[in-house]
Amino acid sequence: MTAFAPAAPRRAIQDLPDELISQIAAGEVVERPASVVRELVDNALDAGATQITVRLLAGGVRLIAVEDDGCGIPREELPVALRRHATSKIRDLQELEHVGTMGFRGEALAAIASVSETSILSRLDGEDKAWLLEARSGELRPAPRNRGTTLEVKELFFSTPARRKFLKSDATELAHCIESVRRHALARPDVGFAIWHEGKLVEQWRAVPLAEGADRNEALARRLGDVLGDDFIANSIAVQRTSASSGITVYGRAGLPDAARSRPDQQYCYVNGRFVRDKVLTHAAKSAYEDVLHGHKQPIYALYVEMDPARVDVNVHPTKIEVRFRDSREVHQAIKHAVEDALAAPRAALLADAAQAPLTEANAPAAPASLGWQPSTSPVRAPMAPQVQYAMPLQEVAGHKVNDLQALWAPLREATPAPSAS
Ligand SMILES: Nc1ncnc2c1ncn2[C@@H]1O[C@H](COP(=O)(O)OP(=O)(O)OP(=O)(O)O)[C@@H](O)[C@H]1O
Ligand SMILES: [Mg+2]
């Protein structure tokens, strides 16, 4: 058709059929098997599960089954769970503004069911049997199961072959599915996760019980070690800081400068337990490393921001991976200071240590102060981690320059949306 082709004759405005509306919504919510895994694990966590098992066939394209031991769904509500805009999680605008659950839009299951063969099997506590609902046929029948819910999603995009063509190899889709569960697992050390592919156990992260009053950073460090490897723990420092002015708490772990990588593939940020991608958060974390990381090195970290839910809008995109802060600046400050404090602690220990030690050739400072922390080949006492050794700049560099902070805040002042996910 050329730019000058006559316009097609006008067609009457009509309501779209329900199924098509869900399929259109599915375009946003369900991009690939990993998106289904994300939504189903979100639901299992919202149901209070302590153990979640994900079973996949063909990278999740042929089957995604997510089993939980959560509260279950009553028989009469099973068909409602699959309806668009039906949710048990919020009732009104006020609840939306303070939402504490992973889901709240009431659209994930409807969207998933519109582009796959979906079934729900669920049993409530105190019931003598479970009920199985086949979404497509609407058939509901009793079936065996313990308390909890199993969602089965088969043949994803079978009705929308164009979408199916965008999928990558099974191995790639599997890797995305695992990453999706990993993001949840890093937020919930108290929940056990297992992933099976083609009948083989590919990942298992056991629950780390959190006794009352126990240090959550300890449980978190165990889970981070299980999921990201012991190196992540050995090469990182605990972060824990509550900002007196904003009340925002930031905890987790920040990698030592030496552990920085060429790609930003070990950067996990959570806001109120939700994995998010947000420029304010990544900029804040990066700026804390400004004096100690050079070039394009990417720090590693897992940072958890706890803040008043009324001060962060999670209803920005159906996938909820983007958020909008009421005051980006306070969040930026809270993260930057928390990470700076954590990085300063071992440096301060080294400086104190250096002050006590007689200055010899072996422990003399090897780098100019302006370069901050420099990896050194000369032996230094009291390294922070067995494999990391640093020379000691004896003079601290004062302040941190964040050159493009102005740019970061500028859109806010003009009342345009805050910068968010890439
Ligand atoms: N594993 C589960 N255990 C218990 N209830 C569940 C489970 N999965 C879904 N539900 C119920 O089904 C409802 C619909 O789920 P769905 O994921 O479509 O919407 P939601 O989680 O409320 O919102 P969102 O679309 O943001 O995910 C939920 O509100 C919940 O009551
Ligand atoms: Mg949901």
Side-chain angles (χ1 to χ4, degrees), residues 258 361-367 374-380 388-392:
D258 258 9
E361 235 174 75
N363 66 8
Q374 284 289 302
S376 166
T377 47
S378 63
V380 172
V388 195
Q389 296 196 327
Y390 295 102
M392 295 159 293

Side-chain angles (χ1 to χ4, degrees), residues 116-133:
S116 67
E117 297 282 353
T118 299
S119 68
I120 317 180
L121 170 64
S122 196
R123 178 168 163 186
L124 288 181
D125 231 1
E127 296 276 300
D128 57 352
K129 55 180 166 299
W131 289 91
L132 176 71
L133 173 68

